[in-house]
Amino acid sequence: MTVRVRIAPSPTGYLHVGTARTALYNYLFARKNNGKFILRIEDTDVERSSKEMTDIIIESLKWLKLEYDEGPFFQSDYFSHYIDHIPELEKTGGIYRCFCTPEELEERKNKVIEQKKAWKYDRKCLNLSKEEIEKKLKENKPYVWRVFIPEGKTYFDDLIHGRIEKDNSEIEDFIIVRSDKTPVYNFAVVIDDYRMGITHVIRGDDHISNTFKQLHIYRLLGVQPPEFAHLPLILDEKKAKLSKRSGTVSVLAFRDMGVLPEAFVNFIALIGWSPKDNREILSIDEMIQLFSFENVAKKGGVFDYKKLEWMNSKYITNTDDEKLYELLKPFYREAGIDIEKFEKDKIFKMIFSVKEKARYLKEFPYLTEFFFKDITEYDKKGVEKYFTFDKLNHLKFLVKELEKIENFTSENVEKLYKDYVEKNGIKGADVIHPTRLALSGRTEGPSLFLMMEILGKEETVKRLTKVL
Ligand code: GLU
């Protein structure tokens, strides 16, 4: 049996973190088992679906490098296929027409609720006689198709949760085709999964109640249902379901902040799954090798933004300069800096100087911006603390010495500062902080001596002299 799995997003919104993780687990499972990973766009809700969202979903998967082997297939291309299965289902006697109007249903439902009871479709149309049905059809009365749920229990062996069971009295005779002849999600999904030969349905926990219904459609079709694996939800820091309210959840928003796709994939993989040895930094190949449902948690996992920052910064630090340079170009461009206009070697050094500080690629332009422009403002508190009479006096002397350095490298500058500090019995901080403030306008930043090397002798002396 070839493993065939799918990710089936609805294009009613962007691809969010939860769907991305579901896609990833499907992908890992497919690759591990030499199977196929399929993309199916569930756009039967025509009004809420859009081409724009479909494009965003596809772009997101591409960014994450979760390549699909088949698709994208669009449910809307197959509308008639779903309905084609109705006669076959009707023959089983397991589905029936329901002519109740929404208004009638609402009225009956309200009565039941008034009595503080739970509402479930009351099967008014189950026992319509052949003649009654014929008559209503002749009158063109709109109707939906419902599945008859017999007495008993419905259960399945989930690959993550083990056996899950529900008494059929808790399952309503649910609708599979609406009065406008469009299939509802539960119907379309079963027909698609069946026609596409899906072997494993891997999706969020929130679909468990749908699975119970879908199993009845499989039963009526007389086909073996796929295996199911329901993934625990992703929670926010308050342990509520991760949503827009919790913060950023759109995958492309993370890209635009400058999260590296490899870091993002690594991070989401570990929400609800961990390899046995609890390793944290994993390449996609390692994940494929180690992935198994046994190690997927049964309870929801928290989306920890701080951990994402930590992980992204690790990935940034480990990215080689040439690649980082390419990745950073658009971020600099957005900040109004064309790094291609500068010596590549210099840019490499700048990137290197702040590489370990940056949590997102988007932070690089800010962290290095003082290299590119004249300093016109100086940190106020820093000015009070570091631009004092005696400290500036030290700088006055140091500028003269700096001018004499022939080979203006960070090592040579550092040696000059060290010797000066030693000779005068002062603290390194007494000269380092004022120099940094004069050169960058800031009290924090990359290694000072490297900063001076990058700026070069002329610019360093110019900025110091300006302050003096
Ligand atoms: N379109 C459904 C969703 O976005 C897919 C559920 C499933 O995988 O069956 O939640």
Side-chain angles (χ1 to χ4, degrees), residues 6-10 19 22 40 42 75 185 189 193 201-204 206-207 210 214:
R6 83 310 192 266
I7 179 72
S10 308
T19 316
T22 303
R40 183 172 77 221
E42 304 214 316
Q75 279 188 330
Y185 156 74
V189 93
D193 286 340
V201 168
I202 305 165
R203 62 185 171 200
D206 46 342
H207 283 288
N210 287 324
Q214 290 171 18

Side-chain angles (χ1 to χ4, degrees), residues 51 106 113 163 379:
K51 162 92 172 68
E106 189 64 20
I113 289 174
R163 178 153 297 197
D379 180 271

Side-chain angles (χ1 to χ4, degrees), residues 82-100 121 125-126 128 133-134 137 141-148 172-184 186-187 217 220:
Y82 308 113
I83 312 303
D84 286 350
H85 288 270
I86 290 295
E88 156 196 357
L89 292 177
E90 197 187 357
K91 256 186 233 150
T92 67
I95 60 169
Y96 60 94
R97 289 186 180 85
C98 168
F99 295 89
C100 298
Y121 179 63
C125 291
L126 178 62
L128 291 177
I133 295 174
E134 287 302 323
L137 287 178
K141 281 242 159 81
Y143 63 89
V144 301
W145 283 102
R146 288 185 185 270
V147 173
F148 172 73
E172 178 179 52
D173 283 359
F174 62 99
I175 297 172
I176 53 172
V177 177
R178 299 185 192 95
S179 56
D180 63 1
K181 305 268 182 287
T182 58
V184 302
N186 275 318
F187 185 41
I217 305 176
L220 294 175

Side-chain angles (χ1 to χ4, degrees), residues 112-144:
V112 171
I113 289 174
E114 264 167 37
Q115 292 164 14
K116 301 227 157 27
K117 283 188 200 148
W119 160 261
K120 187 172 87 166
Y121 179 63
D122 54 10
R123 294 184 164 166
K124 182 160 183 261
C125 291
L126 178 62
N127 299 315
L128 291 177
S129 68
K130 250 196 168 158
E131 293 70 36
E132 280 171 306
I133 295 174
E134 287 302 323
K135 188 167 167 268
K136 286 182 193 291
L137 287 178
K138 266 205 194 112
E139 287 166 2
N140 275 331
K141 281 242 159 81
Y143 63 89
V144 301

